[in-house]
Amino acid sequence: MKKAVVLVSGGLDSATVLALAKEEGYTTYALSFDYGQRHRAELQAAKMIAKAFNAAEHHVVQFSLQHFQGCALTDENTDVPDYQGDGDIPVTYVPARNTIFLSFAMGWAEVLGAQTIMIGASSVDYSGYPDCRPEYFDAFQQMANLATKAGVEGDPLKIVAPLMHLSKAETIQAGIAAGVDYTLTVSCYQADEQGRACGRCDSCVLRKKGFEEAGVVDPTRYVKC
């Protein structure tokens, strides 16, 4: 039995990765994080997605990054900007977020005897976060195999990002083929309590573009202005 810890945020990308993991025959263990993010509706979406794909377990780890001032996702005094697309790292970047998430996943994977961690990062249609690049994941995998009993004893851990080189449109097409219901997902950085999206932030704009380019009707629920 091959096991994978899958990071499930509740968004489009992580739902696709969970579906692909199941399709590849993994027993999946879904891991989500309540870190004080303003778009907390994604946690309910994560719960539904984990259930839809029959994850063996789904855990939500709770901690707070709200004391990191200046990040629009955790600091209520910092506004989520509209999509810029200028190549700069936006204020929605959360310092060390993927490193923290992967560290929890690494620990759980070792407890479970899972050799794979899967994450929905992409270096194609994304916001330019430094911890979404292939070289970052290569470095984390090397660290994980130096830091764990399993790695030291010759049972190496793999960090797999199956969407890394896919556009958002290609991700959506892969997800539909794997049975993802994207109405369950919440991607917006400032989704309201009902999971309705703003339609203007980085995540919303890239998501809308993906559905358009994939030739698929966008099922996202938007706040009516």
Side-chain angles (χ1 to χ4, degrees):
M1 182 186 297
K2 57 180 185 177
K3 302 175 182 179
V5 174
V6 184
L7 301 189
V8 180
S9 68
L12 181 155
D13 295 328
S14 65
T16 304
V17 169
L18 187 62
L20 294 177
K22 182 182 178 184
E23 196 173 57
E24 291 176 18
Y26 283 97
T27 299
T28 58
Y29 295 81
L31 187 60
S32 304
F33 298 91
D34 180 353
Y35 58 96
Q37 65 269 48
R38 70 198 309 158
H39 52 309
R40 293 177 57 80
E42 69 173 7
L43 294 172
Q44 182 59 35
K47 180 179 179 180
M48 293 188 292
I49 292 161
K51 182 178 180 180
F53 285 99
N54 299 311
E57 295 181 37
H58 177 216
H59 291 310
V60 179
V61 176
Q62 188 172 28
F63 61 97
S64 178
L65 292 176
Q66 290 179 321
H67 53 283
F68 289 1
Q69 300 298 308
C71 170
L73 299 194
T74 57
D75 183 354
E76 293 183 356
N77 296 316
T78 303
D79 292 335
V80 174
D82 291 350
Y83 177 70
Q84 302 294 324
D86 54 12
D88 292 336
I89 297 174
V91 73
T92 51
Y93 163 65
V94 182
R97 180 173 61 177
N98 276 349
T99 302
I100 295 168
F101 289 0
L102 286 171
S103 295
F104 276 105
M106 176 179 70
W108 196 23
E110 189 164 29
V111 169
L112 292 169
Q115 293 179 304
T116 304
I117 295 172
M118 301 183 76
I119 185 170
S122 170
S123 61
V124 182
D125 286 336
Y126 79 126
S127 297
Y129 302 148
D131 55 0
C132 286
R133 298 173 298 161
E135 52 267 43
Y136 165 77
F137 293 107
D138 289 343
F140 191 96
Q141 178 174 283
Q142 183 179 8
M143 182 279 296
N145 286 314
L146 291 171
T148 58
K149 179 176 183 289
V152 170
E153 293 181 347
D155 195 15
L157 182 69
K158 295 185 297 181
I159 310 296
V160 179
L163 314 181
M164 180 57 67
H165 302 294
L166 299 186
S167 68
K168 196 68 72 180
E170 291 170 329
T171 294
I172 290 167
Q173 290 166 342
I176 289 174
V180 177
D181 177 2
Y182 286 116
T183 63
L184 299 179
T185 64
V186 174
S187 300
C188 178
Y189 289 151
Q190 51 188 347
D192 66 13
E193 292 182 359
Q194 299 174 52
R196 296 178 301 180
C198 72
R200 303 185 310 274
C201 68
D202 274 21
S203 189
C204 279
V205 171
L206 291 171
R207 178 180 169 117
K208 284 195 292 185
K209 175 175 173 281
F211 280 111
E212 289 172 5
E213 292 181 351
V216 176
V217 175
D218 183 357
T220 309
R221 296 178 299 123
Y222 293 100
V223 174
K224 295 181 180 178
C225 300

